[in-house]
Amino acid sequence: MEKINVLRSLSALAHEMRLDIFRHLVKAGPQGAAAGDIALALDVRANTLSNNLTILSAAGLVRSAREGRSIRYFAEMEGMRALLSYLMEDCCGGQAERCAPILAEIVCGC
């Protein structure tokens, strides 16, 4: 992962609402959550939610799929794994392979 992408991801998560959205989608698991359901669960207006989802999507942390008239969102766990891999690549005195099992657990097919 390039540094600019890391900064984009960290910046996206460094906002209370976006962090709540991402965590909500992680909890939703592989089935994700419809935009309306996210708005209700987090008590946020649709346009505010849409703006924040756009930022998370641009950062590679959220993906979407259209379902008729609504859009379902999913946590992009591969994006989070890439971010954590970058942050941990020099862990354990430069022996990043020691962290590989932990990072492999993050990819849960969400």
Side-chain angles (χ1 to χ4, degrees), residues 35-98:
D37 294 338
I38 300 168
L40 286 173
L42 300 179
D43 191 28
V44 62
R45 294 184 319 186
N47 62 336
T48 302
L49 176 65
S50 178
N51 290 336
N52 285 305
L53 284 165
T54 298
I55 292 167
L56 287 165
S57 181
L61 297 170
V62 168
R63 63 182 168 83
S64 62
R66 181 165 291 283
E67 291 183 344
R69 298 175 92 183
S70 71
I71 300 175
R72 183 166 294 275
Y73 291 91
F74 307 86
E76 187 59 76
M77 298 308 289
E78 181 59 31
M80 179 53 75
R81 190 194 65 72
L83 173 61
L84 292 174
S85 292
Y86 179 88
L87 294 173
M88 297 173 68
E89 71 183 16
D90 294 322
C91 72
C92 301
Q95 297 175 359
E97 66 278 359
R98 297 176 93 188

Side-chain angles (χ1 to χ4, degrees), residues 99-110:
C99 298
I102 295 167
L103 294 171
E105 292 289 323
I106 294 170
V107 181
C108 62
C110 299

Side-chain angles (χ1 to χ4, degrees), residues 5-45:
N5 295 331
V6 170
L7 293 171
R8 188 177 294 125
S9 294
L10 291 173
S11 176
L13 291 171
H15 182 278
E16 184 177 357
M17 177 59 60
R18 290 191 292 269
L19 184 58
D20 289 346
I21 292 167
F22 184 78
R23 289 176 49 91
H24 180 80
L25 291 173
V26 169
K27 288 177 193 172
Q31 69 272 11
D37 294 338
I38 300 168
L40 286 173
L42 300 179
D43 191 28
V44 62
R45 294 184 319 186

